[in-house]
Amino acid sequence: MTSRILRDARRYEEVHGSLVKEEERPAFHLSPYVGWTNDPNGFSFYDGHYHLFYQYYPFSPLGGPKYWGHAVSSDLLHWEYLPAALAPDTAYDQDGCFSGSALSLPDGRHLLMYTGVRAERGSGGEVLLRQVQCLAAGDGEEYEKYEGNPVITGDILPEGFSRIDFRDPKIWRGSDGVYRCVIGNRGPDDSGQILLFVSEDGFHWDYKKVLTANHNRLGKMWECPDFFVLDGHGVLLTSPEEMLPEGLEYHNGNGTICLIGDYEEKTDTFTEKHHQSVDYGIDFYAMQTTLTPDGRRVMIGWMQNWNTCHIREGNRPWFGQMSLPRELFIKEGRLYQRPIRELEELRHGKVEYENVDVGQKTVLKSVSGRMVDMELTLRPGNTDDIYKKFAVYVAADHRYRTEVCFRPGENEIKIDRKFSGSRKTVVHQRRAAVDGADGRLKLRIILDRFSMEIFVNDGEKVLSLTMYTDQSADGIEFCSEGSVKMDVVKYDL
Ligand code: FRU
């Protein structure tokens, strides 16, 4: 039965969502039908389509109590909006249906697992968001909350584990047929830990263990965990709050991490061997993965950062967008990402240049646009005297530009959106280490109206950011200090 609260949201989105013009949205990145979005949720392949749900508040682009928005796609790039799937309409989730995940049940139903939130008063009168785990099952459009909800509460947690920071279940079925889920939690040392729960049927859950813990190393609370086996390695993705930077590896505030190690399913033992950021840009958080029918592990994130949400000007009909879906793989023990191969189907209008001598300001005919897939291959013009700096400006006009800058001598790539329309005192730059001392570097830059994602050296590092400038700022310019030779392959998308 559809509740009044869900019906009202659906009515609102029907009226107001259809008013948003296509050209006011990203073309192939999912944005909310109307209003606010943050995390991607329930990313899954079900009944012949990819389903992507999203943290949603249809009534305002500034956010509010969370619903689940819903869209489906057959190629992960063209999305069809479906009516909102979940609303905060029950006693255990009346203050929000927080993030969660999905899978297909053997009986053909689609199972959603999410965090229900209810505000309570603490002993000092403060508001505490009590978090419990809930289920809803459905047919890909209509979902019924499970009568046994909540299925996991803080009551089964060991002493000292938080009942307040206990959220974002990611559910999967192991090769042994056992249902498992990982949930972010705050442990007795006040920092994040990832808890593992097991179930025979997906509905009745037991607490198993702490799969891995932060111990105050990498930020504080760990949100939105995901766990899977990739190329023979156990991989845990999570989004820490309150990070401190470590060299160029992490940055202050909300960040993303990937722990890579060994995983033994029989005992559910994960032994961490390496950690790194997932995305080195400004706007990327709360990522989640799914397995495609042809066996690719594809990740999608919220292309935004809680601390910089307010750089978008004015009261627009929507706020927040998802990243490009990215195929993940492990190479030499590190996480690599490449844009999903389906993107190549959108390419048209190929323009190619070889051996361009990059000057102080180089503009190339037909190399411009805000929906672009562009590959740049750089090498030094003179190997005895490697250039100092190479930069490309995108989304540029007389006033605006978004900059990517590479300095081989410092083995560093930098993005800068100071001139990308922000009127706020917030961070506009991010740097990442790249191995390019010989002046050779490959960049693949994807633009989609309000965003830029850069894949460095075939996916070794990725940097994402959003920019909300006028679409008329569509210039692309190159410049160098020293001699740079550049090949360009550019497509419109
Ligand atoms: C991450 C997060 C999740 C939570 C959701 C609420 O961005 O804080 O931990 O479930 O957003 O919208």
Side-chain angles (χ1 to χ4, degrees):
M1 250 260 293
T2 315
S3 68
R4 184 188 49 77
I5 295 177
L6 183 58
R7 272 203 312 277
D8 286 351
R10 287 178 168 186
R11 207 168 301 129
Y12 185 90
E13 59 178 358
E14 221 176 275
V15 173
H16 297 269
S18 55
L19 297 179
V20 184
K21 295 196 192 75
E22 235 173 73
E23 61 275 16
E24 290 172 358
R25 299 179 177 280
F28 50 92
H29 288 75
L30 183 70
S31 53
Y33 192 40
V34 62
W36 163 278
T37 192
N38 51 291
D39 315 353
N41 292 159
F43 188 25
S44 53
F45 189 83
Y46 170 74
D47 198 22
H49 297 282
Y50 293 102
H51 288 252
L52 187 60
F53 302 82
Y54 50 91
Q55 286 286 282
Y56 187 33
Y57 186 67
F59 307 105
S60 163
L62 303 176
K66 297 301 179 297
Y67 294 61
W68 276 35
H70 189 189
V72 288
S73 173
S74 54
D75 63 359
L76 294 167
L77 298 167
H78 298 89
W79 292 99
E80 182 196 333
Y81 292 103
L82 292 182
L86 299 177
D89 54 10
T90 317
Y92 51 76
D93 63 14
Q94 66 185 25
D95 292 297
C97 297
F98 272 20
S99 284
S101 53
L103 55 66
S104 302
L105 288 169
D107 66 8
R109 286 181 301 162
H110 198 202
L111 185 70
L112 312 182
M113 190 173 198
Y114 68 98
T115 299
V117 174
R118 188 190 165 101
E120 286 175 9
R121 289 271 164 208
S123 48
E126 71 282 17
V127 176
L128 301 172
L129 298 180
R130 187 160 298 273
Q131 305 184 341
V132 295
Q133 317 314 321
C134 310
L135 297 172
D139 62 0
E141 186 153 347
E142 297 297 334
Y143 292 84
E144 196 78 45
K145 290 183 184 169
Y146 176 50
E147 66 274 9
N149 278 344
V151 291
I152 308 177
T153 69
D155 298 344
I156 63 167
L157 298 181
E159 212 29 58
F161 288 21
S162 174
R163 275 82 173 140
I164 302 301
D165 284 315
F166 179 40
R167 58 183 175 271
D168 311 333
K170 174 68 200 273
I171 187 174
W172 77 99
R173 203 168 179 196
S175 64
D176 52 6
V178 174
Y179 292 89
R180 290 172 169 78
C181 80
V182 279
I183 302 180
N185 181 239
R186 203 184 275 263
D189 66 1
D190 198 39
S191 81
Q193 53 183 4
I194 303 303
L195 308 183
L196 180 76
F197 295 79
V198 289
S199 166
E200 286 305 317
D201 60 1
F203 289 83
H204 303 87
W205 290 89
D206 293 315
Y207 169 69
K208 183 142 184 201
K209 65 187 326 192
V210 175
L211 185 69
T212 186
N214 182 358
H215 300 306
N216 278 303
R217 291 176 300 154
L218 304 164
K220 290 296 217 175
M221 172 64 185
W222 283 0
E223 300 189 306
C224 300
D226 194 346
F227 186 74
F228 48 88
V229 173
L230 181 64
D231 301 333
H233 303 265
V235 177
L236 180 96
L237 305 180
T238 183
S239 298
E241 295 179 315
E242 300 177 73
M243 292 198 91
L244 288 174
E246 281 183 20
L248 294 183
E249 202 38 65
Y250 301 108
H251 53 71
N252 311 61
N254 297 120
T256 54
I257 57 172
C258 169
L259 309 182
I260 301 176
D262 294 328
Y263 172 61
E264 200 206 16
E265 191 183 64
K266 214 157 89 200
T267 53
D268 279 311
T269 307
F270 175 61
T271 314
E272 177 193 324
K273 289 188 161 158
H274 163 77
H275 59 82
Q276 63 174 96
S277 300
V278 177
D279 191 289
Y280 292 80
I282 305 179
D283 298 313
F284 191 84
Y285 196 68
M287 58 278 160
Q288 187 175 99
T289 71
T290 193
L291 210 50
T292 60
D294 60 3
R296 289 173 287 158
R297 177 62 61 177
V298 173
M299 176 183 79
I300 202 161
W302 180 39
M303 198 158 42
Q304 201 57 64
N305 181 320
W306 282 110
N307 296 124
T308 58
C309 289
H310 57 303
I311 71 157
R312 190 164 194 204
E313 274 237 292
N315 206 4
R316 309 293 169 104
W318 62 271
F319 180 79
Q321 57 182 303
M322 300 304 157
S323 72
L324 196 63
R326 304 166 182 180
E327 295 175 13
L328 302 183
F329 56 106
I330 306 279
K331 201 168 134 190
E332 288 157 11
R334 288 189 59 92
L335 182 74
Y336 274 65
Q337 306 169 45
R338 60 180 156 233
I340 42 155
R341 56 197 71 165
E342 285 82 345
L343 189 69
E344 286 154 37
E345 302 287 312
L346 299 192
R347 289 169 159 181
H348 59 276
K350 182 173 180 182
V351 181
E352 206 168 349
Y353 290 88
E354 270 178 33
N355 265 323
V356 177
D357 277 308
V358 181
Q360 280 188 346
K361 178 176 172 173
T362 299
V363 176
L364 301 171
K365 188 165 173 286
S366 302
V367 176
S368 63
R370 290 285 284 253
M371 284 172 287
V372 165
D373 183 348
M374 181 169 71
E375 288 174 338
L376 307 177
T377 308
L378 310 177
R379 55 191 168 274
N382 176 358
T383 44
D384 295 329
D385 182 17
I386 309 252
Y387 59 93
K388 275 205 173 55
K389 173 183 163 180
F390 164 85
V392 48
Y393 301 145
V394 301
D397 66 2
H398 64 284
R399 173 165 230 180
Y400 300 121
R401 62 172 192 262
T402 300
E403 181 179 340
V404 185
C405 167
F406 168 55
R407 291 177 185 274
E410 291 165 25
N411 275 318
E412 245 179 57
I413 188 165
K414 187 182 86 183
I415 53 174
D416 189 336
R417 64 154 172 220
K418 190 165 45 265
F419 298 102
S420 307
S422 163
R423 293 172 193 270
K424 304 288 180 193
T425 319
V426 291
V427 64
H428 294 306
Q429 294 182 353
R430 219 51 113 198
R431 292 177 300 150
V434 292
D435 187 10
D438 60 0
R440 293 178 173 273
L441 191 79
K442 273 169 85 178
L443 299 176
R444 183 167 170 198
I445 299 180
I446 313 284
L447 304 178
D448 182 9
R449 290 202 176 112
F450 307 104
S451 65
M452 169 174 77
E453 288 160 282
I454 310 165
F455 294 78
V456 183
N457 287 340
D458 299 311
E460 179 192 324
K461 294 260 160 81
V462 187
L463 298 93
S464 308
L465 63 74
T466 55
M467 68 267 184
Y468 293 103
T469 48
D470 289 346
Q471 296 301 298
S472 56
D474 67 351
I476 297 181
E477 294 168 17
F478 307 93
C479 72
S480 75
E481 279 172 36
S483 171
V484 181
K485 293 269 187 204
M486 172 179 72
D487 301 336
V488 181
V489 183
K490 180 247 168 189
Y491 301 86
D492 292 316
L493 292 172

